[in-house]
Amino acid sequence: MTGESAGPAWPSSPPPPAADGWHWALEHVSELPRVRAQLRRGLAEESSGTDEATDLDEAVVLAFDEMASNALRHGGGGVRARVQRTPDAWLVEVRDSAAQRPPQPAVGRDPSQGGLGLYLIAEMAEDHGWHLTEGQKSVWALLPRR
């Protein structure tokens, strides 16, 4: 984990290559509890089962949930999400139709009003970014795995 906070905008770069994993097309935030449960089960099957691995898996679920809920609330539809394996991390990537709006962490906002998810993800992730692909905005983060 970098321990670095998100700046006023996330860096623009494509994610690293990844394989295997899970994919979802999402239409509404009401789908997220079911998808989180699927993701949690899938990660547990891939995990070493140690307390550290369980904590890392929960960080992946949290990052996925924050990114997916942002896309569903603010991304203009067409939300697609994936969690895939890289050699030593999980790639969490969420795409939406708001290609003209890069992810921007809330700056100067009262924490009680929300908007801190991107900061949290940046602090947990080994790397993060966004780019445009196939006419969509793709927001991604790499989270460590065991």
Side-chain angles (χ1 to χ4, degrees):
M1 292 187 226
T2 64
E4 295 178 15
S5 295
W10 271 29
S12 180
S13 65
D20 300 327
W22 307 275
H23 301 262
W24 300 272
L26 301 169
E27 295 181 18
H28 194 270
V29 293
S30 63
E31 297 171 282
L32 291 178
R34 174 185 54 81
V35 174
R36 282 193 311 265
Q38 289 174 351
L39 178 57
R40 203 172 264 121
R41 279 191 305 273
L43 291 168
E45 290 172 6
E46 299 285 328
S47 180
S48 66
T50 66
D51 288 344
E52 180 186 17
T54 300
D55 289 345
L56 293 173
D57 291 349
E58 281 304 308
V60 172
V61 173
L62 176 61
F64 171 86
D65 190 57
E66 287 289 337
M67 293 165 67
S69 63
N70 280 350
L72 287 163
R73 287 184 175 99
H74 311 293
V79 176
R80 295 184 298 159
R82 69 180 174 134
V83 176
Q84 293 183 293
R85 183 184 355 264
T86 69
D88 56 358
W90 290 109
L91 170 65
V92 178
E93 181 181 18
V94 178
R95 295 181 182 188
D96 65 43
S97 296
Q100 71 285 359
R101 290 195 332 240
Q104 293 196 336
V107 175
R109 184 186 306 174
D110 182 331
S112 67
Q113 295 178 353
L116 300 178
L118 293 176
Y119 286 110
L120 178 63
I121 294 165
E123 288 179 8
M124 295 186 313
E126 293 178 348
D127 198 7
H128 62 280
W130 78 281
H131 72 122
L132 298 178
T133 183
E134 300 173 14
Q136 289 191 301
K137 173 180 65 199
S138 165
V139 180
W140 61 271
L142 279 178
L143 290 113
R145 68 178 173 91
R146 294 279 181 262

